[in-house]
């Protein structure tokens, strides 16, 4: 059985972008009310007193856009200072990084994934919505700053959307030739707004690899914190290419992660609502830390079953109504 020691922690469900596949502009999204967000103290208590004693050692801060959370640098400093923390990483859209990368690094965050779905500004606008080209420039500047500051590995996440950015695979892959950057192609998931891209479905990672192999060749490789990604590299390149194929290849059997939403729900599986726990309400109602640990321990025991529940029972319709920003992507 997999050791479950990786928690994705959503710091906030709001975002300063409106990616069409995540928080489309015309979607009626409901946000967590400020009083329902886990406070810094509640969040730190849950991590330190509930998750760490149960064996969690790896944390990824995400959202929404985690850099919008007030006090994010202090949260990073605190989590990074615990001797039990083996790995602390963040996924960000990069927009605020040029001004925050240095402080985050000094506070103890050394691994970053930055979303960059396109190198073409007009394509980027199509994807992030209410676009202005300055947004792409800011993200690019954020990536350069993070690289200079020393984030390593620096990963760039690309959600591949058929008919939108699939013509850019080789250009994006080429970023890894000169620089020690790690580009990860993620299969587009029908999560959140399904009408959005009409009948367009995901492009299997295998097809992307074929395209890249035909251009430069491809060899197996590794990178820290690869998670479910299959990692390759272009021979002679400095960086790597990761492929996350949650649609074409089920990796539920290897899943070692759970998610904590910004309003304190523990979610054992991205695609399945079974086994969720409302830790914030319990904490506020005075449930003891020992009882909370026991509840989470029970979810840990059930997780392997939960991972496969809907897929195997046939109740998985392939349509998931909550967005990644709401779940804590
Ligand atoms: N705002 C940050 C960002 O965009 O990097 C962090 C949160 S975002 C929800 C985390 C990751 O989920 C991003 O890499 C994003 O591209 C990915 N994501 C969101 N919706 C997705 C979808 N429908 N299919 C695949 N990946 C998705
Ligand atoms: Fe915001 Fe990230 Fe979702 Fe894009 S993918 S809307 S940047 S949370």
């Amino acid at each position: 059985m997999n050791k479950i020691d990786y928690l994705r922690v959503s710091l906030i469900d709001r975002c300063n972008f409106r990616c069409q596949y995540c928080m489309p502009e015309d979607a009626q999204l409901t946000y967590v009310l400020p009083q329902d967000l886990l406070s810094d103290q509640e969040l730190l208590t849950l991590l330190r007193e509930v998750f760490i004693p149960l064996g969690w050692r790896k944390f990824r801060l995400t959202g929404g856009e985690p850099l919008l959370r007030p006090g994010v640098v202090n949260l990073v400093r605190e989590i990074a200072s615990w001797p039990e923390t083996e790995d602390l990483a963040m996924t960000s859209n990069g927009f605020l990084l040029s001004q925050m990368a240095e402080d985050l690094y000094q506070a103890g965050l050394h691994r970053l994934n930055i979303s960059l779905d396109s190198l073409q500004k007009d394509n980027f606008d199509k994807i992030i919505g209410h676009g202005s080209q300055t947004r792409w420039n800011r993200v690019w500047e954020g990536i350069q700053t993070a690289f200079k500051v020393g984030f390593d590995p620096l990963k760039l996440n690309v959600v591949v959307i058929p008919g939108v950015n699939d013509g850019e695979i080789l250009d994006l892959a080429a970023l890894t030739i000169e620089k020690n950057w790690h580009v990860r192609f993620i299969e587009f998931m029908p999560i959140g707004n399904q009408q959005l891209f009409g009948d367009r479905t995901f492009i299997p990672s295998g097809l992307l690899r074929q395209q890249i192999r035909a251009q430069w060749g491809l060899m197996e490789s590794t990178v820290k914190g690869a998670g479910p990604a299959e990692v390759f590299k272009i021979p002679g390149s400095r960086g790597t290419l990761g492929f996350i194929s949650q649609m074409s290849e089920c990796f539920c059997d290897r899943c070692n992660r759970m998610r904590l939403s910004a309003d304190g729900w523990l979610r054992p599986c991205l695609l399945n609502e079974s086994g969720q726990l409302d830790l914030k309400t319990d904490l506020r109602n005075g449930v003891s830390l020992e009882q909370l640990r026991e509840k989470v321990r029970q979810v840990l025991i059930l997780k392997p079953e939960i991972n496969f529940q809907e897929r195997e029972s046939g109740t998985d319709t392939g349509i998931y109504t909550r967005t990644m920003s709401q779940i804590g992507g």
Side-chain angles (χ1 to χ4, degrees):
M1 193 171 93
N2 280 330
K3 186 171 165 211
I4 314 288
D5 61 356
Y6 176 35
L7 190 68
R8 293 176 78 98
V9 182
S10 174
L11 297 184
I12 192 163
D13 62 340
R14 292 169 194 258
C15 189
N16 43 359
F17 283 9
R18 287 287 175 275
C19 299
Q20 298 291 301
Y21 50 72
C22 180
M23 300 173 81
E25 282 175 286
D26 52 357
Q28 306 285 316
L29 291 177
T30 48
Y31 294 108
V32 173
L33 297 170
Q35 64 269 26
D36 290 331
L37 273 183
L38 284 176
S39 68
D40 287 2
Q41 198 46 56
E42 288 168 336
L43 176 58
L44 294 171
T45 300
L46 286 176
L47 298 190
R48 192 82 208 259
E49 306 294 343
V50 176
F51 289 98
I52 284 183
L54 290 172
W56 266 271
R57 295 291 178 266
K58 301 173 188 166
F59 304 104
R60 174 171 294 276
L61 307 179
T62 178
E65 174 48 39
L67 296 183
L68 291 182
R69 167 118 183 179
V72 59
V73 174
N74 289 337
L75 279 175
V76 164
R77 186 173 297 108
E78 182 67 24
I79 300 168
S81 73
W82 299 334
E84 298 90 348
T85 304
E86 285 172 12
D87 189 30
L88 179 61
M90 179 183 280
T91 305
S92 163
N93 63 27
F95 188 71
L96 295 171
L97 264 183
S98 53
Q99 66 216 62
M100 296 179 75
E102 176 79 48
D103 287 348
L104 289 164
Y105 193 85
Q106 294 306 331
L109 181 77
H110 296 157
R111 295 213 300 118
L112 252 181
N113 289 17
I114 306 170
S115 292
L116 181 73
D117 293 331
S118 176
L119 292 172
Q120 294 173 15
K121 295 177 190 176
D122 50 346
N123 254 355
F124 193 69
D125 277 354
K126 267 187 228 155
I127 297 166
I128 70 158
H130 65 73
S132 84
Q133 303 213 339
T134 48
R135 286 177 174 258
W136 189 92
N137 292 340
R138 285 272 303 260
V139 171
W140 189 247
E141 202 187 318
I143 294 170
Q144 304 284 348
T145 310
F147 185 57
K148 275 194 213 119
V149 162
F151 281 93
D152 183 22
L154 183 68
K155 297 183 185 170
L156 303 180
N157 283 355
V158 181
V159 177
V160 181
I161 308 154
V164 178
N165 61 353
D166 55 331
E168 294 189 55
I169 301 306
L170 294 180
D171 291 340
L172 286 156
L175 292 175
T176 65
I177 296 177
E178 299 291 333
K179 288 213 166 66
N180 185 22
W181 290 357
H182 305 273
V183 171
R184 300 163 11 121
F185 295 107
I186 303 172
E187 287 177 353
F188 168 56
M189 289 176 72
I191 199 165
N193 183 353
Q194 289 82 43
Q195 287 96 48
L196 189 67
F197 293 110
D199 296 335
R200 292 174 197 164
T201 172
F202 67 94
I203 302 186
S205 298
L207 285 183
L208 306 183
R209 286 200 289 269
Q210 265 178 26
Q211 216 183 322
I212 298 168
R213 191 174 279 118
Q215 179 76 14
W216 294 291
L218 209 50
M219 56 197 276
E220 286 187 16
S221 186
T222 53
V223 67
K224 183 171 181 193
E230 290 182 279
V231 184
F232 293 81
K233 68 184 290 173
I234 296 168
S237 66
R238 302 186 68 192
T240 65
L241 296 168
F243 298 87
I244 303 185
S245 319
Q246 72 281 12
M247 298 302 292
S248 63
E249 297 156 27
C250 169
F251 46 68
C252 298
D253 58 334
R254 288 184 279 134
C255 179
N256 69 340
R257 59 189 58 188
M258 290 202 204
R259 292 174 158 80
L260 182 64
S261 69
D263 55 348
W265 282 85
L266 178 66
R267 300 204 158 105
C269 174
L270 175 65
L271 304 179
N272 179 338
E273 301 196 349
S274 308
Q276 299 188 87
L277 284 182
D278 182 0
L279 294 176
K280 179 202 69 207
T281 302
D282 280 352
L283 198 61
R284 290 186 184 175
N285 286 341
V287 174
S288 74
L289 292 170
E290 184 45 45
Q291 284 171 301
L292 286 182
R293 284 192 286 270
E294 188 46 40
K295 286 185 171 202
V296 174
R297 195 178 285 121
Q298 291 309 319
V299 175
L300 262 179
I301 293 168
L302 286 176
K303 178 162 163 72
E305 199 181 306
I306 290 170
N307 284 351
F308 290 102
Q309 228 162 42
E310 292 184 15
R311 289 192 184 217
E312 294 210 333
S313 68
T315 55
D316 179 353
T317 56
I319 293 176
Y320 311 105
T321 48
R322 281 176 298 138
T323 67
M324 288 288 261
S325 64
Q326 290 168 321
I327 303 166

